[in-house]
Each structure stands twice: as structure tokens, then as C-alpha cells.
Amino acid sequence: MDAHVSDLTKAIEERRSIRMFLRDKPVPRDLLDEALALAMRAPSNSNIQPWRLFLATGPRRDKLVEALLERASRGYPATVGLPQSFSALRSEIGALVYGSMGIARDDSEGRRMAQLRNWEFFRAPVAGVVCMHRDLGPADSLAVGMFLQTLVLALTERGLGTCLQVSIAHFPDVLREQLDIPDDLQIICGLAVGYADPEFAANQLRTPRNPVGENVVFLDG
Ligand SMILES: Cc1cc2nc3c(=O)[nH]c(=O)nc-3n(C[C@H](O)[C@H](O)[C@H](O)COP(=O)(O)O)c2cc1C
């Protein structure tokens, strides 16, 4: 990934999910602070700014990862079911991601090891957990998404890699205990932040998208 992309379009093009970070290269706090300040500019219904983000670094992050890995090694839920019309895309991305990691379709142990890396935040030095008040609804979760997209683009622009991770939400009790997350917040997903490992080929994966016309309908007249 380029060190300092210069504009929004470039950041959008550059951003991709990073699934192996340089564990020992810390994220400078000032870069994190700049990106967070920009993300706080995201819009939200009635300007309630419903996003809540817990960021663990240093020993706190290590303790969290230890607890998550311990729990995940005892088993983790299969991926959540999707409506039939989406399952082909899920299979396609699975094949692409594992393929880019050199893991064959029938290599179940290889897949298991790769999946377990989710719970070490792919070795990222910053481990985030994204939450929202449990009584808020779908429109408010859009605002959380807008905050997150702004955040990951601002981080990309600063040369950092990110991965959003719904897998992290599989063990809410571990997250609550380790990060003191109060009960009135629902846990939505994880966010790994760090410097991408340039040696890890899967970090270069450029995932496909539908043609715009498949998702957007223009109506005129
Ligand atoms: C809400 C959300 C949750 C995700 N959860 C995971 C996850 O648990 N593990 C993972 O490896 N990738 C996860 N991803 C990354 C997606 O697989 C990825 O965004 C998608 O395949 C498109 O690839 P790209 O981000 O490289 O453009 C998640 C993305 C989003 C937006």
C-alpha cells in the first residue's frame, strides 16, 4: 500500500482489507487521533453520533487477543446464514481470500488457522471494537458505518491498513470483560489497525464489485 495517498479518490481505490499486519510496528498516536477527528465529522440522524469505539493497544490488546484465541480455539460459530441470492458472492470471496493466502479449497486445517487469525486481529497492534447503544435502530447503524468508512479512508490516506471484522463480535462476553464495555452497548464488529505486512500476498488482493447497474436503479420519466 502506498505510504501517503494524496486524495479521497486515491484512498478509496487504495483501501482494502488487510489480513496480516506488522505486529511490531506501532501505530503513531497522532495519526490515529487525526483520523478519528475526521471520522467524527460523519453525519448521523439528529447528529446523535451513535458510534462508540474501544481501542486496545499494548498489554491490554495482548490480553484481549489471548482471551479471544483461547475462546476461539474451543470452537467458533459457523458464518451467519445469508439469503440465497447472496451466497454465490460469499463463496466467491471465500475462494479469492483463501486462494490469495495459498490455501486450497479442501485444506480445512489451513482454513481453520487462517480463520483463527481473526481473533488476533491479524496481528494488528491496534484492536478496535465497534459498538452502538442497544436501543438504536438500523438508520443509526448506517451512521456507525459512515463513521467507520471515514475512519478507514483517513487511516488509508495516512499509510495505515485496516480490516473490519464481524468475527470479533462472536464472543461479546470476552470483549465486555476485557475492555469494560457496558451492557447498554451492543457490539457490532471489530476493527484492526496497523501497518500492512508487505510480504503477505493476500494483502494485495483486489476484490471484485458488481457493475453499478446491478445495485443502482435509475428511473427517469
Ligand atoms: C461489517 C464488515 C465485517 C467484516 N468482517 C470480516 C471478518 O470477520 N473477517 C474478515 O476477514 N473480513 C471481514 N470483512 C472484510 C470483507 O470481507 C471485505 O470488506 C470484502 O471482502 C471486500 O474486500 P475489501 O475490503 O478488500 O475491498 C468485513 C467487512 C465489513 C464491512
Side-chain angles (χ1 to χ4, degrees), residues 10-202:
K10 214 169 163 207
I12 293 168
E13 296 280 356
E14 277 289 328
R15 187 215 57 80
R16 64 197 67 198
S17 293
I18 296 302
R19 295 189 177 86
M20 187 67 81
F21 293 86
L22 296 174
R23 190 196 336 229
D24 298 323
K25 188 168 177 188
V27 175
R29 180 59 191 264
D30 57 329
L31 295 188
L32 209 46
D33 286 342
E34 280 172 23
L36 286 165
L38 286 167
M40 290 296 290
R41 299 303 309 162
S44 56
N45 186 20
S46 300
N47 199 24
I48 64 168
Q49 303 157 65
W51 46 84
R52 297 289 181 270
L53 177 59
F54 295 77
L55 293 172
T57 57
R60 198 65 181 271
R61 175 253 178 236
D62 295 346
K63 239 180 116 231
L64 170 65
V65 165
E66 197 183 316
L68 284 170
L69 278 177
E70 192 280 322
R71 180 65 70 87
S73 66
R74 285 189 268 139
Y76 46 86
T79 46
V80 182
L82 285 176
Q84 178 70 28
S85 57
F86 293 99
S87 50
L89 282 174
R90 172 178 273 174
S91 304
E92 185 189 350
I93 194 66
L96 274 173
V97 169
Y98 291 121
S100 69
M101 292 176 182
I103 300 168
R105 215 169 241 293
D106 55 358
D107 180 1
S108 52
E109 183 56 16
R111 282 190 174 222
R112 198 181 75 85
M113 295 309 289
Q115 280 166 357
L116 277 177
R117 285 203 289 268
N118 267 283
W119 290 288
E120 50 174 340
F121 290 84
F122 304 110
R123 304 191 180 156
V126 178
V129 177
V130 179
C131 303
M132 184 181 83
H133 195 286
R134 63 170 71 257
D135 296 335
L136 293 172
D140 304 302
S141 62
L142 292 183
V144 178
M146 300 188 88
F147 166 80
L148 285 175
Q149 175 72 341
T150 310
L151 179 61
V152 299
L153 291 178
L155 290 168
T156 304
E157 193 184 17
R158 285 159 180 75
L160 285 153
T162 58
C163 191
L164 286 156
Q165 299 179 262
V166 74
S167 49
I168 291 297
H170 286 320
F171 303 118
D173 50 331
V174 176
L175 301 171
R176 284 186 197 287
E177 189 186 322
Q178 293 293 327
L179 302 184
D180 306 314
I181 299 175
D183 279 343
D184 63 349
L185 295 181
Q186 58 178 306
I187 293 167
I188 300 178
C189 66
L191 170 67
V193 183
Y195 287 96
D197 181 345
E199 307 290 317
F200 192 67

